[in-house]
Amino acid sequence: MIFTVLIPLILACFIPLLSKIKEKIHTGVFVFFIPFIIFLYFIQFVGNDFSPVRQTFRWIPSLGINLDFYLDGLSLLFALLISGIGALVVLYSIYYLNKTERLGHFYVYLLMFMAAMLGVVLSDNVFVLYTFWELTSISSFLLIGYWHFNERSRYGALKSMLITIFGGLSMFGGFVLLTVVTDTTSIQAMIEQKDVILNSTYLPLILGFILLGAFTKSAQFPFHIWLPDAMEAPTPVSAYLHSATMVKAGLFLVARFSPVFSTYEWFFIIVSLVGIVTLCWGSYMAVRQTDLKAILAFSTISQLGMIMAMLGFGTEIAVFAAVFHILNHATFKGSLFMVAGIVDHETGTRDIRKLGGLITFLPITGTLALFGTFSMAGIPLPFLNGFYSKELFFESSLDLAGASTFADLLAQAIPYLAVFGSIFTFVYSLYFLFGTFAGKADLAKLPKKPHEAPFGMLVSPIILVLGVILIGLFPNVVNGTFLAHAAEAIKGVSIEKHITFWHGFNYTPLQMTLIVVGLGLVLVLTRKKWAGAYHILPGKLSLNRLYNAILDKLDDWTKDVTQSYMTGSLRLYVAIIIGATLVVTAIVMLVTGGFNIQFNDLADVTAIEVSVVVIMVIAALGTIVAKNNVSAILILGVVGYGVAILFVLYRAPDLALTQLVIETVTVVLFLLCFYHMPKLRKRNESAGTKTINLIISIGFGALLTLVGISAHSSKWFDSIADYFIETSKPLGGGHNIVNVILVDMRGFDTLFEITVLGLAALAIYSLIKLKKGAK
Amino acid sequence: MEIIILILAGILFATAIYNLLQKQLLRIIIGTALLSHGAHLFILTMGKLKRGQPPIIMEGISDYVDPLPQALILTSIVISFGVTSLLLVLAYRTANENNSDDMAQLRGDEHE
């Protein structure tokens, strides 16, 4: 099973080589065989006596992350859709994409996507699933931005990327929580431990995170906004990713985890509510669109909402209807996207206002569109598969009950919302069909003179429409062999629903269908009269506006925040650093009770020391008030010599010596530099800045004094001085203990201090010698 | 006496920070010099003051002051001297190249 995931990835590496010979043979011809063979491999599993298959390959065993593959009915359904429609889409793209396009890029992305998608549906390990999930986001990003010279393509690609990766990351959070709670990374093992998960305190978080991932990927309300913009991708991509496979990854995720959550009431509430709202909103918005692909995009959103709602219902019939509709939607929506692509390809426009009357020019395409749209609308004819699943949807919506008041209210409202959404589904389906193919053709508006598409382009939609008709005529063929296993994977029990076309007039779903058709026809005929409704809703409440505003505002806010403190002024940075150190240290000392001031164990105070200290204090303050350079430097020298005297008083002869010499050299250096530097100008600082500087510096000095006193007052252990004093002579062979420490006991310090001096000397030399532009 | 020295160190720190927050390059370097003086006194005081003779071994003396802080300070003095001299030359070059020693003027353009 693993090879089905790896083969597309490995072969994708060879596509660039193949595309070099694309002048002779279209690269897609080679690519076609990959999904086709995978499809043939998976089709052998179809049958009544299917049982799940498991395979494991070690990847990162120490983290419990292994390439666990698990093929059950649900995975099989998706794997067949991915490989089957993948093959058809590649076939279609051979005729759709010109040889002058960058075909190598296209097929590499497409194969990458195919492998990722197969990985998503086959993985049993949550982290492997997440890996493939993000790979689908990335490859989808690349495919949407395929015509990257197009500004709209880049916008659409970025939008889909931001939204789906946002969802993907939150899903990852959910997976991590699940792993922590159940102590396993295998989905099947998690399903076995569903009681542990349901009793966990993290349950709402887990559910919320995972559903966020599913809703963003499957374009559920309010995250659906990326899908219409993803229509900037080439049409084969739209047909494949954004109708049949990737957008169903969210449905797959919900279906995969519904054995765990289905008994939790919030699962029913959230999933059903979001699904049904998406159904209504998507179908309502689809009627407003003027671009053929935008109509189909909103239609996809709405159909996905319907499937999502059914997964939320969680009853046996609903689950069965959901998997049935996943299959049906893939067939008719795939074909409709291809039809839209053909219309675009043959007339040069996708704008429905310019199109019309194409049935005389494109008879085959028109017929295909007829089957596709009627199936999508759920028109009760015995050869349309969309009708069956729509009827099952109505049936499942009638038989709902919730435990709490709110859930019960929702359960009561769902049939009405379902009918409402379906009416608009009917409207946009007919709008799509008649707007494009019926009426009178206005050839002047069309960029190209329309004529029927080449046969190769028609093969894929014909096969899909044949699927629509065959499933419609013999709905029970896919039943036990296929759908029952998929439903079993979701629900746990084998559901084999016998699908019949005719239930009699007293059958409520049929009456609902008739209401849909009746009201839908009225709305279709009066469409121009009520089109004004779109000015009221959504009107200005568009979610796209919100998305754009959030992005713009985020840009502005982050810019403002950065500019507010990253001013380029070194003074401000120093003030922030010192101020932050001050505050943090003070808080830590206060909170931990670190301040500890005692006055025992002190050396005696003598007059001479005090007078030195006083002179130093005056000198230190003098550096601040000094008006000119020379006095400031000389006063600094006073401080330095004061330190040297203190070293003498505190019995540190080597220090005193060094300090004296170095202070002298430093003062000389200061004076040398001063000679070349501009004069100290009069400071014209505001009183506010002065106060802040004063507060920070006094605070910092006071704090360090307190810290020093506290440290001095609490000696935890004796100094190691005794060791140095005792061993200086016997081990170091010297009388001067400080010097023995410097060159013998801690010689490394000295070595690197010499290095520092050497480096400083080199740096100074180069600073002086090397000038800009000089050789 | 330790308390007094620590207060002195605190005052050195305070004046150092105040100088650091000024605009003129020279004052900033004066600030760093004051900062290192304060730090040296700080380290010295941590080893206790005047608890014995200078750390040079002589017959008949058993009490010496702690030699370790002195060794540390000696290292530190040399390093801060190196850094100060580098800073001074850097300031000299900066002021010469830009004809200004004002930190408010010595900043990149808007987009840096």
Side-chain angles (χ1 to χ4, degrees):
Chain A
M1 215 176 337
I2 191 173
F3 80 90
T4 58
V5 179
L6 291 185
I7 277 180
L9 279 182
I10 294 169
L11 291 183
C13 302
F14 294 99
I15 297 293
L17 300 175
L18 286 178
S19 66
K20 294 284 175 221
I21 53 165
K22 72 177 176 185
E23 283 76 21
K24 295 192 194 101
I25 308 165
H26 197 285
T27 316
V29 177
F30 304 104
V31 176
F32 170 75
F33 293 101
I34 300 168
F36 188 65
I37 289 167
I38 296 174
F39 181 77
L40 289 181
Y41 170 77
F42 278 117
I43 201 100
Q44 61 165 334
F45 287 101
V46 175
N48 284 315
D49 51 351
F50 171 78
S51 63
V53 186
R54 175 189 286 282
Q55 282 179 2
T56 297
F57 300 90
R58 288 155 68 83
W59 185 19
I60 317 174
S62 55
L63 294 177
I65 300 175
N66 288 311
L67 295 168
D68 291 330
F69 289 100
Y70 183 76
L71 183 76
D72 60 359
L74 186 65
S75 309
L76 184 62
L77 169 69
F78 274 90
L80 282 173
L81 283 182
I82 293 160
S83 51
I85 298 192
L88 294 178
V89 160
V90 171
L91 190 63
Y92 178 77
S93 70
I94 294 172
Y95 293 89
Y96 185 84
L97 288 176
N98 205 297
K99 280 185 191 166
T100 52
E101 301 267 10
R102 293 162 307 127
L103 293 177
H105 294 229
F106 183 80
Y107 288 109
V108 167
Y109 302 158
L110 199 72
L111 284 178
M112 198 166 107
F113 171 78
M114 196 180 291
M117 203 59 216
L118 284 168
V120 166
V121 299
L122 292 173
S123 295
D124 187 43
N125 188 299
V126 282
F127 295 112
V128 177
L129 175 68
Y130 171 74
T131 310
F132 286 121
W133 184 277
E134 293 298 34
L135 194 56
T136 63
S137 296
I138 294 167
S139 47
S140 163
F141 169 79
L142 291 169
L143 284 168
I144 297 170
Y146 179 63
W147 287 315
H148 54 76
F149 38 79
N150 210 329
E151 203 270 328
R152 294 292 307 167
S153 292
R154 297 199 299 272
Y155 172 80
L158 182 65
K159 193 174 189 178
S160 78
M161 181 83 153
L162 285 176
I163 294 177
T164 54
I165 296 278
F166 161 74
L169 283 174
S170 81
M171 183 186 85
F172 183 61
F175 283 170
V176 170
L177 281 176
L178 267 179
T179 312
V180 170
V181 168
T182 60
D183 202 26
T184 173
T185 50
S186 156
I187 297 172
Q188 294 305 316
M190 284 173 184
I191 292 171
E192 278 162 25
Q193 294 192 52
K194 67 181 233 183
D195 294 334
V196 180
I197 300 170
L198 287 173
N199 293 324
S200 154
T201 45
Y202 294 122
L203 179 61
L205 272 183
I206 294 174
L207 183 71
F209 281 158
I210 288 183
L211 287 185
L212 209 53
F215 290 164
T216 48
K217 198 76 162 181
S218 277
Q220 299 294 297
F221 189 89
F223 306 109
H224 65 271
I225 50 172
W226 65 269
L227 190 58
D229 282 304
M231 292 301 130
E232 297 299 325
T235 303
V237 173
S238 310
Y240 188 37
L241 274 68
H242 306 127
S243 76
T245 52
M246 188 181 89
V247 286
K248 289 195 174 123
L251 299 176
F252 173 79
L253 189 73
V254 171
R256 190 39 104 211
F257 280 96
S258 69
V260 178
F261 297 118
S262 57
T263 50
Y264 183 47
E265 196 184 42
W266 281 101
F267 178 78
F268 165 70
I269 295 176
I270 300 174
V271 178
S272 309
L273 186 65
V274 169
I276 207 92
V277 167
T278 312
L279 165 66
C280 295
W281 185 251
S283 57
Y284 172 71
M285 288 297 285
V287 187
R288 186 197 194 194
Q289 309 303 318
T290 52
D291 181 352
L292 289 185
K293 277 174 83 177
I295 300 175
L296 292 176
F298 275 103
S299 145
T300 304
I301 291 168
S302 127
Q303 302 277 332
L304 292 171
M306 174 175 150
I307 301 170
M308 190 65 90
M310 287 192 278
L311 288 173
F313 298 165
T315 56
E316 289 191 6
I317 175 168
V319 166
F320 182 83
V323 289
F324 191 29
H325 199 69
I326 287 175
L327 177 66
N328 294 344
H329 178 249
T331 55
F332 67 71
K333 191 53 65 68
S335 68
L336 283 178
F337 265 109
M338 290 174 184
V339 164
I342 290 171
V343 170
D344 186 16
H345 206 258
E346 302 307 328
T347 65
T349 181
R350 293 199 310 255
D351 192 332
I352 201 162
R353 290 167 299 190
K354 293 180 186 164
L355 297 168
L358 291 182
I359 191 73
T360 47
F361 301 99
L362 303 161
I364 302 173
T365 315
T367 317
L368 296 175
L370 177 89
F371 282 107
T373 48
F374 276 23
S375 179
M376 181 159 76
I379 288 173
L381 290 170
F383 50 87
L384 297 172
N385 59 3
F387 166 67
Y388 294 99
S389 39
K390 183 60 72 69
E391 200 174 52
L392 284 172
F393 169 57
F394 285 147
E395 192 181 336
S396 65
S397 73
L398 290 169
D399 184 28
L400 293 172
S404 67
T405 329
F406 180 67
D408 209 42
L409 200 68
L410 179 66
Q412 299 298 319
I414 278 172
Y416 298 98
L417 290 169
V419 170
F420 175 82
S422 302
I423 291 172
F424 279 95
T425 307
F426 183 87
V427 175
Y428 71 69
S429 299
L430 293 198
Y431 169 53
F432 180 89
L433 180 66
F434 292 124
T436 314
F437 293 101
K440 199 172 162 310
D442 188 358
L443 293 184
K445 279 186 187 167
L446 297 178
K448 283 196 213 165
K449 183 161 164 44
H451 54 79
E452 186 57 270
F455 178 68
M457 216 167 174
L458 289 168
V459 170
S460 300
I462 286 174
I463 291 174
L464 285 172
V465 165
L466 277 179
V468 169
I469 297 169
L470 285 178
I471 297 174
L473 286 175
F474 312 105
N476 293 310
V477 172
V478 288
N479 216 341
T481 52
F482 194 42
L483 298 178
H485 297 304
E488 185 182 355
I490 303 173
K491 196 62 192 161
V493 288
S494 181
I495 310 163
E496 202 173 329
K497 177 96 176 105
H498 190 73
I499 308 166
T500 40
F501 175 68
W502 189 247
H503 294 272
F505 277 115
N506 286 330
Y507 184 58
T508 324
L510 180 71
Q511 293 160 3
M512 288 161 88
T513 307
L514 292 177
I515 295 172
V516 167
V517 174
L519 282 178
L521 274 176
V522 172
L523 283 180
V524 170
L525 295 173
T526 59
R527 202 174 66 81
K528 291 221 161 53
K529 294 197 175 121
W530 55 270
Y534 289 101
H535 294 302
I536 304 162
L537 188 76
K540 289 195 169 164
L541 294 171
S542 147
L543 285 163
N544 272 322
R545 274 165 182 264
L546 182 69
Y547 167 84
N548 289 335
I550 288 175
L551 278 200
D552 291 350
K553 280 279 177 295
L554 267 181
D555 258 12
D556 292 349
W557 285 336
T558 46
K559 213 176 193 175
D560 288 350
V561 168
T562 309
Q563 281 178 346
S564 69
Y565 71 97
M566 282 288 165
T567 57
S569 151
L570 207 57
R571 263 182 63 202
L572 180 67
Y573 302 159
V574 173
I576 290 174
I577 292 168
I578 302 288
T581 315
L582 179 66
V583 171
V584 171
T585 316
I587 290 174
V588 168
M589 292 293 277
L590 283 174
V591 168
T592 57
F595 288 122
N596 168 25
I597 294 166
Q598 286 167 22
F599 297 104
N600 48 12
D601 193 26
L602 295 175
D604 52 335
V605 180
T606 60
I608 181 157
E609 294 165 63
V610 173
S611 50
V612 173
V613 168
V614 169
I615 292 170
M616 284 174 70
V617 170
I618 294 169
L621 294 173
T623 59
I624 294 171
V625 290
K627 286 282 182 290
N628 67 50
N629 276 351
V630 183
S631 53
I633 293 165
L634 293 180
I635 295 170
L636 180 67
V638 172
V639 179
Y641 292 125
V643 173
I645 294 170
L646 284 180
F647 286 155
V648 173
L649 291 175
Y650 296 132
R651 288 144 205 188
D654 299 289
L655 290 187
L657 207 61
T658 319
Q659 177 69 29
L660 274 176
V661 174
I662 280 189
E663 194 57 36
T664 313
V665 179
T666 312
V667 167
V668 170
L669 264 176
F670 263 106
L671 289 172
L672 258 177
C673 275
F674 146 76
Y675 186 74
H676 295 284
M677 298 254 284
K679 280 214 168 72
L680 277 188
R681 262 161 306 171
K682 205 166 180 302
R683 274 167 277 169
N684 43 357
E685 285 169 315
S686 66
T689 325
K690 264 187 185 165
T691 325
I692 291 173
N693 290 354
L694 265 180
I695 290 172
I696 292 177
S697 36
I698 292 177
F700 193 71
L703 178 79
L704 280 191
T705 303
L706 286 176
V707 169
I709 294 173
S710 308
H712 189 267
S713 308
S714 42
K715 292 273 180 206
W716 296 76
F717 36 75
D718 286 334
S719 160
I720 56 164
D722 288 344
Y723 171 81
F724 292 118
I725 294 166
E726 277 161 24
T727 56
S728 167
K729 185 99 190 297
L731 292 184
H735 294 272
N736 187 330
I737 307 174
V738 173
N739 289 6
V740 169
I741 292 176
L742 281 175
V743 299
D744 209 328
M745 293 164 170
R746 299 180 55 94
F748 268 123
D749 287 356
T750 314
L751 176 64
F752 291 110
E753 156 200 343
I754 294 167
T755 317
V756 168
L757 269 191
L759 281 178
L762 274 177
I764 290 168
Y765 176 80
S766 36
L767 267 176
I768 292 172
K769 279 285 174 191
L770 303 178
K771 294 254 159 80
K772 203 196 281 178
K775 290 233 170 113
Chain B
M1 197 61 225
E2 278 90 344
I3 305 287
I4 296 174
I5 297 294
L6 284 171
I7 291 170
L8 171 66
I11 291 170
L12 288 179
F13 285 134
T15 49
I17 299 297
Y18 193 86
N19 271 313
L20 273 183
L21 290 169
Q22 301 299 308
K23 284 180 188 162
Q24 295 87 351
L25 278 176
L26 203 62
R27 287 212 179 270
I28 292 173
I29 304 171
I30 290 176
T32 59
L34 284 172
L35 204 59
S36 56
H37 288 326
H40 298 157
L41 287 180
F42 218 76
I43 300 172
L44 190 70
T45 320
M46 288 298 127
K48 297 196 174 174
L49 302 171
K50 299 200 285 188
R51 303 297 157 83
Q53 295 303 306
I56 293 168
I57 294 174
M58 281 191 279
E59 290 292 329
I61 298 170
S62 58
D63 264 357
Y64 298 99
V65 296
D66 196 336
L68 188 59
Q70 297 194 11
L72 296 181
I73 295 168
L74 199 59
T75 311
S76 167
I77 289 174
V78 176
I79 290 174
S80 59
F81 167 69
V83 174
T84 306
S85 39
L86 178 62
L87 274 180
L88 274 168
V89 178
L90 195 62
Y92 150 73
R93 269 301 291 273
T94 311
N96 260 14
E97 297 280 325
N98 298 296
N99 288 323
S100 168
D101 70 336
D102 187 347
M103 287 308 291
Q105 291 169 14
L106 294 172
R107 47 203 270 193
D109 58 50
E110 274 299 296
H111 301 287
E112 237 172 328

